[in-house]
């Protein structure tokens, strides 16, 4: 028997007025308003809903007080009350993009672990945009999720929205892309060793000029994977060559820039890419240019998603074990919520990677 589907996908976040600011660490409740006016919570609720059962004068006074104190209703709690369903424990999850295999596998792990402990998840996509990420954090706070699990957007360089959640007493756990400027629990894969082992494999199978395609160095995962790549070269007495390094982390860009690098007089005989999509873009371009893979050029990715076995030849890649990352992140967050892990304790967990050797390397 299939268990109930326990994911709330939160795609659209639009609020044009009465926004509650996370800069205030204590949120006003209807109980607070009721205490201020010496009335019942039910009366406050009716007034905020503009019920004719409450006098116009009283309604106006309560509504004005709510506006002045940035009151925001608990949308989830109200929905559950009206549906006569027992209130559920909700975890907010932010992923950079739904279509990426790694993030969807992390989400699967989070949902499995959360469901096993009686929690549900509310999922939102930042679409790799800082502004949207800030709005999602705001909405999660307003909807009173019990905690947030997040992988930050690529262009996030300010972290006040994360710190405000922590200051407000909301547990926060980072996964994959962590924020070093915020003291919060985190789960990452061993990016350094994953890259080190991959590049070592390329070298040991005959490659000596290995190109590196990576993301922006503002991300810790990019720094760690580059350092693994660089140290593997140095260990084998190969000096890193800046002409073989590109900022590229998607297939479209890889297809666009790879012809130039493959037409170099001393072209690379191997590629290490920050993810599988980029590696597949390299593979497609190399084959289109008449090069044999892996005889003329070897290629290694990083993810081990479904696309890695759908290409020809199948892709050698570093397996990230996204499901395990998700399980660990959910386990930590639930521990913080339930008190088995003190909220002041910063939990750090590393999920080991492994190299999956297939047809794109010798």
């Amino acid at each position: 028997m299939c268990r109930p589907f326990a994911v709330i996908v939160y795609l659209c976040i639009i609020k044009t007025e009465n926004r509650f600011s996370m800069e205030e660490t204590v949120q006003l409740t209807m109980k607070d308003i009721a205490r201020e006016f010496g009335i019942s919570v039910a009366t406050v609720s009716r007034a905020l809903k503009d019920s004719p059962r409450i006098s116009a004068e009283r309604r106006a006074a309560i509504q004005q007080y709510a506006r002045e104190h940035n009151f925001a209703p608990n949308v989830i709690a109200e929905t559950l009350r009206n549906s006569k369903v027992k209130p559920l424990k909700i975890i907010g999850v932010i992923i950079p993009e739904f279509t990426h295999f790694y993030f969807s596998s992390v989400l699967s792990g989070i949902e499995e672990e959360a469901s096993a402990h009686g929690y549900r998840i509310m999922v939102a996509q930042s679409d790799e945009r800082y502004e949207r990420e800030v709005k999602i954090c705001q909405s999660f706070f307003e909807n009173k999720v019990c905690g947030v699990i997040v992988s930050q957007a690529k262009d996030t360089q300010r972290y006040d929205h994360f710190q405000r959640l922590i200051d407000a007493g909301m547990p926060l756990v980072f996964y994959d892309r962590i924020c070093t400027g915020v003291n919060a629990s985190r789960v990452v894969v061993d990016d350094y060793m994953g890259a080190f082992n991959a590049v070592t494999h390329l070298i040991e199978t005959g490659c000596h000029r290995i190109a590196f395609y990576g993301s922006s160095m503002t991300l810790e995962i990019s720094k760690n994977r580059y350092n693994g790549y660089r140290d593997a070269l140095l260990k084998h007495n190969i000096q890193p060559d800046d002409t073989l390094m590109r900022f590229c982390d998607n297939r479209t860009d890889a297809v666009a820039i790879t012809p130039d690098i493959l037409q170099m007089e001393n072209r690379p005989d191997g590629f290490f890419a920050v993810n599988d999509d980029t590696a597949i873009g390299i593979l497609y371009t190399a084959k289109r240019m008449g090069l044999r893979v892996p005889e003329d050029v070897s290629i290694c990715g990083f993810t081990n998603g479904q696309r890695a076995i759908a290409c020809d030849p199948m892709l050698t890649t570093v397996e990230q074990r996204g499901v395990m990352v998700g399980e660990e992140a959910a386990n930590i967050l639930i521990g913080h919520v339930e008190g088995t892990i003190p909220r002041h304790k910063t939990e750090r967990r590393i999920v080991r990677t492994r190299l999956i050797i297939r047809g794109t390397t010798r």
Side-chain angles (χ1 to χ4, degrees):
M1 179 182 294
C2 295
R3 55 180 173 75
F5 188 62
V7 180
I8 301 173
V9 179
Y10 201 37
L11 292 174
C12 186
I13 304 170
I14 303 175
K15 290 184 75 70
T16 57
E17 60 181 4
N18 294 341
R19 288 197 57 171
F20 177 77
S21 173
M22 288 189 295
E23 292 177 0
E24 296 185 33
T25 59
V26 179
Q27 184 174 1
L28 187 75
T29 67
M30 283 195 286
K31 186 178 294 186
D32 296 326
I33 299 174
R35 187 181 302 113
E36 176 68 22
F37 284 89
I39 57 179
S40 68
V41 172
T43 299
V44 173
S45 178
R46 294 189 186 102
L48 294 175
K49 293 177 181 177
D50 219 23
S51 170
R53 297 174 59 182
I54 310 300
S55 69
E57 182 179 357
R58 176 58 63 89
R59 289 202 309 269
I62 293 173
Q63 290 171 8
Q64 181 178 349
Y65 182 85
R67 283 193 298 271
E68 290 175 350
H69 291 79
N70 299 312
F71 171 76
N74 187 335
V75 178
I76 294 176
E78 183 176 358
T79 300
L80 292 174
R81 282 197 300 271
N82 292 338
S83 64
K84 297 182 180 179
V85 176
K86 182 180 178 181
L88 300 171
K89 295 169 284 188
I90 307 293
I91 297 171
V93 181
I94 304 176
I95 65 174
E97 53 181 324
F98 282 113
T99 57
H100 196 293
F101 173 83
Y102 175 67
F103 294 124
S104 63
S105 63
V106 171
L107 184 60
S108 178
I110 293 172
E111 199 277 331
E112 287 285 344
E113 186 71 11
S115 179
H117 288 83
Y119 288 75
R120 290 195 178 185
I121 64 176
M122 174 181 283
V123 187
Q125 174 181 252
S126 69
D127 198 28
E128 300 287 14
R129 289 183 290 152
Y130 164 78
E131 294 81 5
R132 184 171 176 83
E133 185 178 81
V134 172
K135 291 180 180 179
I136 293 170
C137 287
Q138 178 75 41
S139 294
F140 279 172
F141 188 83
E142 292 175 356
N143 286 310
K144 298 183 174 67
V145 298
C146 63
V148 174
I149 299 174
V150 57
S151 180
Q152 72 177 56
K154 286 180 184 176
D155 66 349
T156 295
Q157 297 186 43
R158 300 194 303 275
Y159 312 113
D160 292 352
H161 53 304
F162 295 138
Q163 189 59 54
R164 286 195 291 268
L165 290 176
I166 295 172
D167 292 344
M170 182 173 288
L172 182 69
V173 177
F174 286 100
Y175 68 93
D176 190 51
R177 301 179 192 164
I178 64 173
C179 172
T180 57
V182 174
N183 186 29
S185 294
R186 60 199 59 179
V187 180
V188 297
V189 300
D190 194 347
D191 293 294
Y192 173 87
M193 283 307 302
F196 183 91
N197 291 335
V199 176
T200 295
H201 169 69
L202 290 170
I203 296 169
E204 291 179 346
T205 53
C207 296
H208 300 287
R209 283 182 57 78
I210 302 171
F212 174 83
Y213 281 26
S215 300
S216 168
M217 289 300 169
T218 60
L219 297 173
E220 285 299 306
I221 61 170
S222 299
K223 296 176 185 176
N224 292 334
R225 292 178 194 179
Y226 171 74
N227 288 335
Y229 157 84
R230 180 177 179 276
D231 287 353
L233 294 179
L234 293 174
K235 181 181 178 182
H236 292 84
N237 299 314
I238 300 173
Q239 287 299 314
D241 184 345
D242 290 344
T243 66
L244 299 180
M245 299 174 195
R246 299 290 187 275
F247 287 116
C248 176
D249 62 3
N250 61 78
R251 175 171 176 161
T252 300
D253 290 347
V255 170
I257 70 173
T258 301
D260 287 342
I261 199 170
L262 285 176
Q263 289 171 349
M264 294 170 61
E265 182 176 351
N266 189 13
R267 64 171 174 80
D269 53 10
F271 287 82
F272 172 68
V274 72
N275 57 44
D276 286 356
D277 281 353
T278 303
I280 291 170
I282 298 167
L283 170 62
Y284 169 82
T285 304
K287 291 174 64 178
R288 188 184 62 183
M289 294 177 65
L291 295 174
R292 299 169 301 163
V293 179
E295 292 84 359
D296 298 324
V297 59
S298 292
I299 303 166
C300 182
F302 205 115
T303 300
N304 196 34
Q306 292 298 318
R307 295 177 187 176
I309 58 174
C311 55
D312 181 27
M314 291 190 289
L315 185 68
T316 292
T317 186
V318 178
E319 185 177 40
Q320 284 184 271
R321 299 181 176 179
V323 172
M324 187 179 298
V325 170
E327 290 173 346
E328 291 291 332
N331 180 268
I332 293 172
L333 185 77
I334 293 169
H336 284 316
V337 171
E338 298 185 350
T340 56
I341 301 175
R343 294 200 181 189
H344 66 270
K345 180 183 179 184
T346 302
E347 191 82 359
R348 292 180 172 87
R349 297 183 189 175
I350 298 175
V351 174
R352 302 298 177 189
T353 57
R354 64 175 178 172
L355 182 64
I356 308 297
I357 299 172
R358 298 193 181 102
T360 57
T361 55
R362 300 164 197 160

